[in-house]
Amino acid sequence: MSDNTTNEANKHFRHYTFTKIESEGDASIKNCNETNVITSRRFQHFKRWLRDNLLLIATICGVIFSLFLGFILRPLKLSSDAVILISYPGELFTRLLKLFILPLIIASLIAGSAKLNVSLNGKIAFRTLIYFVLTSLTNAILGTILVLLIHPGNPHKKLDLGEESVNRHTHILDGLMDLGRNMFPDNLFQAAFQQAHTVYIPKNLVVDSVTGNNTSMPMDANVESIRMIQYRSGTNTLGIIFFCLIFGTILGTMGRKANIVVEFFTIIEEVVMRMVSGVMWLTPVGIISVICGKILSVGDLGLVLQQVGWFIFTVALGVFLYQFVIMQLIYFIIVRRNPYKYYWGLIQATLTAFATASTDRIRTTNNMLGDCYAAAIVEHLSKEQLTAADAVIYQEVQMAASNRHNPEMQCNASSEPSETQDVVLEIETTVPTNGAVKNLQKKFMLNH
């Protein structure tokens, strides 16, 4: 009896031991699998992040490598031909980017304004105008304060040169009138490559008003001068934007018969954007060529920094305060989101603008960022109008789909003249206020 009991106990002990070993083995395998899953997810996340930011990483590496290469090659005293060859790929890259500016502006503005309602267009344009006026005024005040505090120039230079050499015939009225002349160009094709501006010339000097390239020049105050309107090289972007906005707005009021023209410009915009996306992958090579060429083309880098050091410091400080303080504060107050996260998303565009700018790189970068923040802020303030426009577009898509399924209805609709219809759109949103939920309803009367 005792032997049977002992055998039974041993059997239960062996069963318990094997069960425990198997359970511990299963647990270790499970933990190993979970670790592998977590590692795999992290690796996939890293691969996705690397794929999404590959161009940005390559651009940053290109900037660092171009600085390193430029300062390495400076002691070699390369010839001017060698410097030109180094800068040549960057020049071609910059020319390619500039090539797409005009087609992209025309196509995007016409297609975008045509898809918006006239009344909604006016509200969005008004908000955009107010934003640019206020931010430009803020920039001017900030720049004036910094110049008065730092004073980067030499106040005795004017006394050394004399009054005659610094006397310039300029007037604020001329600048405002030139702004109006460029906003309303007399020739749209000429606006693609020339801008109008006012110059003062001596009365006894005759200059062709079309081909002359004179600018405001030092002249004797006793010499009688006259105003003349001349044209200088440069795209009249303001006039082209004004024409495209008016053209697209009127195009949007013409109903179904204008849909084919709107689709035409929409497709052009998409094609140009795909071309730009392809060219952007050349950014690292272009940046290396541009920055390295600029470093090599400067004769005495130390002397240049010494001469314009305070000027560069003043401009850089103003841009730093505007970009990292004022612009971020405006974005946070209006949009109520983290502004620096939005700023990080613009790093690629910022580096491209800085590397490919033809003259003032800091100003070009600042203008580009200002336009991006303006688009985000105006989009946030115009959510209701944009939602209404999306609703109208959705209704048009639904009507087009129903017409395709009902050919008779399509024939009847095409035979009838297209008339402007009033569409009432009601938007309802819920807003939490003091622990309660408040329903806000707003109606839009749209011409459709």
Side-chain angles (χ1 to χ4, degrees):
M1 185 70 179
S2 61
D3 293 338
N4 292 333
T5 304
T6 303
N7 293 333
E8 191 70 22
N10 291 334
K11 183 185 297 185
H12 285 294
F13 178 75
R14 289 195 301 267
H15 178 72
Y16 169 77
T17 303
F18 290 144
T19 303
K20 185 177 181 180
I21 292 174
E22 289 178 358
S23 62
E24 291 178 355
D26 293 340
S28 62
I29 293 174
K30 183 178 179 181
N31 293 333
C32 184
N33 291 335
E34 290 178 355
T35 304
N36 292 335
V37 170
I38 294 174
T39 305
S40 177
R41 288 178 179 176
R42 290 178 179 176
F43 181 70
Q44 293 296 331
H45 179 73
F46 176 75
K47 285 178 59 179
R48 191 182 306 111
W49 179 86
L50 188 63
R51 183 177 63 251
D52 296 338
N53 298 276
L54 181 60
L55 183 57
L56 174 61
I57 296 173
T59 303
I60 295 176
C61 294
V63 172
I64 297 174
F65 179 74
S66 63
L67 294 173
F68 175 77
L69 183 63
F71 286 107
I72 287 295
L73 295 178
R74 274 187 66 86
L76 300 180
K77 305 295 182 180
L78 299 178
S79 63
S80 59
D81 292 339
V83 175
I84 291 176
L85 290 176
I86 293 175
S87 305
Y88 188 65
E91 179 186 352
L92 295 182
F93 174 71
T94 305
R95 293 173 69 91
L96 273 177
L97 290 180
K98 292 180 179 180
L99 175 65
F100 299 127
I101 293 176
L102 198 58
L104 187 59
I105 290 176
I106 294 175
S108 60
L109 287 179
I110 292 179
S113 58
K115 294 176 182 178
L116 292 177
N117 182 265
V118 178
S119 60
L120 305 185
N121 252 352
K123 294 178 181 179
I124 296 175
F126 179 75
R127 292 189 182 105
T128 305
L129 179 63
I130 293 298
Y131 175 84
F132 276 110
V133 169
L134 293 179
T135 51
S136 299
L137 182 62
T138 304
N139 260 332
I141 295 174
L142 177 63
T144 304
I145 293 175
L146 291 177
V147 167
L148 292 177
L149 291 177
I150 301 176
H151 210 298
N154 186 357
H156 303 290
K157 181 64 68 176
K158 183 176 180 179
L159 298 177
D160 297 337
L161 294 176
E163 288 293 333
E164 285 189 10
S165 58
V166 297
N167 183 27
R168 292 177 181 270
H169 291 266
T170 56
H171 202 280
I172 297 178
L173 179 62
D174 295 330
L176 295 176
M177 294 177 68
D178 289 341
L179 186 66
R181 293 185 183 101
N182 288 316
M183 182 178 292
F184 304 99
D186 55 355
N187 190 324
L188 185 62
F189 297 98
Q190 185 183 18
F193 53 88
Q194 282 187 336
Q195 300 176 358
H197 72 130
T198 303
V199 296
Y200 286 82
I201 61 174
K203 192 173 182 179
N204 57 354
L205 180 64
V206 179
V207 179
D208 188 358
S209 61
V210 176
T211 60
N213 283 325
N214 287 358
T215 58
S216 299
M217 60 186 70
M219 291 187 298
D220 191 351
N222 298 324
V223 177
E224 185 178 0
S225 59
I226 59 175
R227 287 188 178 101
M228 289 195 66
I229 307 302
Q230 296 183 358
Y231 290 91
R232 58 187 174 191
S233 299
T235 303
N236 183 10
T237 308
L238 182 63
I240 294 175
I241 289 176
F242 177 79
F243 174 82
C244 293
L245 286 176
I246 299 299
F247 184 86
T249 301
I250 297 177
L251 185 66
T253 62
M254 299 182 65
R256 295 191 188 94
K257 59 184 179 181
N259 286 345
I260 186 172
V261 182
V262 177
E263 285 296 322
F264 170 75
F265 284 104
T266 303
I267 293 174
I268 288 180
E269 178 188 5
E270 183 177 352
V271 170
V272 175
M273 285 302 300
R274 290 189 180 185
M275 295 172 67
V276 172
S277 300
V279 173
M280 288 303 296
W281 285 102
L282 301 175
T283 302
V285 178
I287 284 181
I288 292 174
S289 175
V290 170
I291 297 181
C292 185
K294 292 295 182 181
I295 293 175
L296 295 176
S297 61
V298 176
D300 191 344
L301 191 59
L303 180 61
V304 172
L305 291 178
Q306 182 181 358
Q307 291 175 344
V308 297
W310 280 110
F311 173 76
I312 295 175
F313 173 76
T314 305
V315 174
L317 179 61
V319 171
F320 178 83
L321 291 176
Y322 180 72
Q323 288 186 10
F324 291 96
V325 179
I326 297 177
M327 207 156 54
Q328 312 300 331
L329 187 62
I330 294 174
Y331 183 89
F332 177 75
I333 292 175
I334 297 178
V335 183
R336 295 291 181 179
R337 293 179 182 175
N338 185 1
Y340 295 101
K341 184 177 180 181
Y342 181 74
Y343 185 87
W344 173 254
L346 300 173
I347 292 296
Q348 173 65 44
T350 303
L351 292 175
T352 304
F354 181 82
T356 58
S358 57
T359 52
D360 192 342
R361 301 177 187 278
I362 297 179
R363 185 182 64 179
T364 301
T365 305
N366 193 54
N367 291 339
M368 185 277 301
L369 288 173
D371 293 342
C372 293
Y373 273 80
I377 291 173
V378 173
E379 186 270 340
H380 178 78
L381 295 175
S382 308
K383 277 186 176 180
E384 294 180 349
Q385 288 75 25
L386 295 175
T387 303
D390 291 340
V392 172
I393 295 174
Y394 176 77
Q395 184 181 13
E396 290 180 351
V397 172
Q398 294 296 322
M399 292 178 62
S402 61
N403 290 339
R404 284 196 297 269
H405 292 294
N406 299 303
E408 295 181 359
M409 183 184 299
Q410 185 177 5
C411 294
N412 295 332
S414 60
S415 60
E416 297 176 358
S418 60
E419 298 180 355
T420 302
Q421 301 177 359
D422 290 336
V423 178
V424 179
L425 175 66
E426 183 175 347
I427 299 177
E428 181 176 351
T429 58
T430 58
V431 179
T433 55
N434 298 326
V437 177
K438 183 180 180 181
N439 292 329
L440 299 179
Q441 294 183 349
K442 192 160 188 177
K443 293 184 179 181
F444 293 92
M445 181 70 70
L446 304 176
N447 293 326
H448 177 58

